[in-house]
Amino acid sequence: MSTVSTVPTITLNDGHEIPQLGFGVFQVPPEETARAVAEALEVGYRHIDTAEMYRNEHGVGEAIRAAGLERDQVYVTSKLSNGFHRPDDARRAFDQTLKQLGFDAVDLFLIHWPLPTLYDGDFVSTWRVLEELKEQGRARSIGVSNFQVPHLERLLNETDVVPAVNQIELHPYLLNDAVRSFGEEHGIHTEAWSPIAQGAVLDDPVITGIAGRLDRTPAQVVLRWHIQRGNIVFPKSTTPSRVRENFELFDFELSDDDLAAITGLDKGEQGRTGANPDTFAWIPD
Ligand SMILES: NC(=O)c1ccc[n+]([C@@H]2O[C@H](COP(=O)([O-])OP(=O)(O)OC[C@H]3O[C@@H](n4cnc5c(N)ncnc54)[C@H](OP(=O)(O)O)[C@@H]3O)[C@@H](O)[C@H]2O)c1
């Protein structure tokens, strides 16, 4: 395998820069998180995506400190739990996030889900709290996750800060293009969660065909497709060889034809693997 070149950064609408490739820790058990993040840092990842609901923020902070890295050398995102959308709860939950991570500030804090059927559909007052956190400098950038176009329109119409990112399910089987294009038009950068659809796209003959021809793995081909489309990605793996494989994306390129063939795999709503943000209403215990 060739050596890895530097991960590009993307400048967000508030001027802050985010590494385009990171490491996701959804479904990494809390007791395994410090080890998994330590391995990712060792490989060279400098962007970690966690959330209150993953219950593993503590391990993320621990691994960064143990690696001897300065706080500003690693970009860390966390997200507000679905249980804490009411403003006072959101403030308390954010304090708890900083405590768990052992940080004075996070680089990016997101509303994890819009929950339009809960809290009287009021994610606006929740967003106002994130605006406060940004003002205080304790969340350097703020954004949303799983917001659909009408949810974004409401924030744009009723609040002051335009979200820096919208983190949405996006992979070759679910392009989510209406949401992505709306973001692009309004300076909201798209982060693609489940970038390899938790593995579901890796056996697709279009992808295995391109991978075989380029002598790359299917995961590398799909992640490279995201990178060339400008998406921010943070694949998750607790398998050391895959953690390394998923980082080796910057010494090859896909042709326009290969990009178009992968984009052509879109299945629309049928390709969705996770919850639908319009109806998702789960609150953790
Ligand atoms: N905002 C949201 O609502 C939301 C929702 C879901 C995810 N996310 C974020 O997005 C991140 C990534 O999404 P995800 O974890 O759902 O899915 P993903 O990154 O698309 O896929 C992870 C799965 O694919 C496997 N895998 C990873 N690399 C592989 C490779 N090179 N070859 C074959 N299999 C590979 C992993 O297995 P092993 O671990 O066994 O290697 C794991 O089962 C999350 O960790 C989280 O940070 C956000």
Side-chain angles (χ1 to χ4, degrees):
M1 276 284 176
S2 50
T3 50
V4 172
S5 52
T6 319
V7 173
T9 58
I10 285 179
T11 305
L12 301 175
N13 64 14
D14 58 6
H16 289 298
E17 289 194 17
I18 181 170
Q20 195 181 1
L21 173 66
F23 182 70
V25 295
F26 176 44
Q27 292 174 328
V28 179
E31 64 281 7
E32 286 176 32
T33 302
R35 181 194 58 79
V37 173
E39 274 164 12
L41 295 172
E42 175 71 29
V43 167
Y45 292 83
R46 291 292 180 271
H47 166 185
I48 312 293
D49 185 88
T50 182
E52 291 172 1
M53 290 196 289
Y54 303 167
R55 301 184 195 277
N56 56 18
E57 292 165 305
H58 187 269
V60 172
E62 191 185 319
I64 292 169
R65 278 184 295 281
L69 291 164
E70 295 298 327
R71 175 64 194 88
D72 63 2
Q73 290 180 286
V74 187
Y75 191 100
V76 177
T77 300
S78 194
K79 319 184 191 85
L80 180 69
S81 165
N82 289 352
F84 299 128
H85 274 216
R86 296 263 183 243
D88 281 343
D89 292 338
R91 290 185 191 98
R92 273 193 293 271
F94 182 76
D95 290 346
Q96 195 58 25
T97 274
L98 291 188
K99 195 169 162 200
Q100 285 291 319
L101 286 164
F103 293 169
D104 297 330
V106 289
D107 296 281
L108 178 61
F109 195 63
L110 311 179
I111 298 181
H112 205 148
W113 289 89
L115 308 176
T117 63
L118 299 179
Y119 301 105
D120 307 314
D122 175 20
F123 44 76
V124 172
S125 58
T126 315
W127 182 249
R128 290 282 186 200
V129 174
L130 269 68
E131 290 181 331
E132 284 171 27
L133 300 174
K134 181 169 170 57
E135 180 68 30
Q136 295 160 0
R138 295 196 301 153
R140 295 198 180 98
S141 295
I142 53 174
V144 293
S145 177
N146 299 301
F147 272 47
Q148 305 277 53
V149 169
H151 308 141
L152 294 171
E153 281 172 333
R154 235 187 114 187
L155 289 188
L156 294 182
N157 290 333
E158 298 178 34
T159 70
D160 299 317
V161 178
V162 176
V165 305
N166 187 17
Q167 184 178 126
I168 55 174
E169 182 179 347
L170 199 171
H171 45 70
Y173 288 166
L174 177 68
L175 290 188
N176 227 332
D177 230 13
V179 181
R180 186 180 181 277
S181 310
F182 184 91
E184 200 163 70
E185 279 161 36
H186 294 87
I188 304 167
H189 212 94
T190 295
E191 297 192 323
W193 65 253
S194 292
I196 57 172
Q198 299 204 338
V201 295
L202 301 183
D203 295 330
D204 191 288
V206 168
I207 289 164
T208 55
I210 296 170
R213 177 158 45 74
L214 299 181
D215 198 18
R216 292 284 166 168
T217 69
Q220 287 173 328
V221 166
V222 175
L223 293 169
R224 181 70 208 181
W225 170 84
H226 282 286
I227 296 288
Q228 286 182 230
R229 283 169 60 88
N231 300 335
I232 298 163
V233 281
F234 22 79
K236 172 264 173 187
S237 177
T238 43
T239 311
S241 60
R242 290 172 172 173
V243 175
R244 193 166 289 280
E245 170 187 332
N246 295 346
F247 196 73
E248 291 175 342
L249 307 179
F250 303 104
D251 57 350
F252 75 109
E253 240 177 83
L254 299 174
S255 67
D256 289 348
D257 284 352
D258 286 345
L259 289 174
I262 299 171
T263 304
L265 297 175
D266 185 27
K267 298 180 183 190
E269 275 306 308
Q270 284 185 342
R272 195 183 284 283
T273 61
N276 186 319
D278 288 322
T279 51
F280 190 57
W282 179 75
I283 291 196
D285 297 334

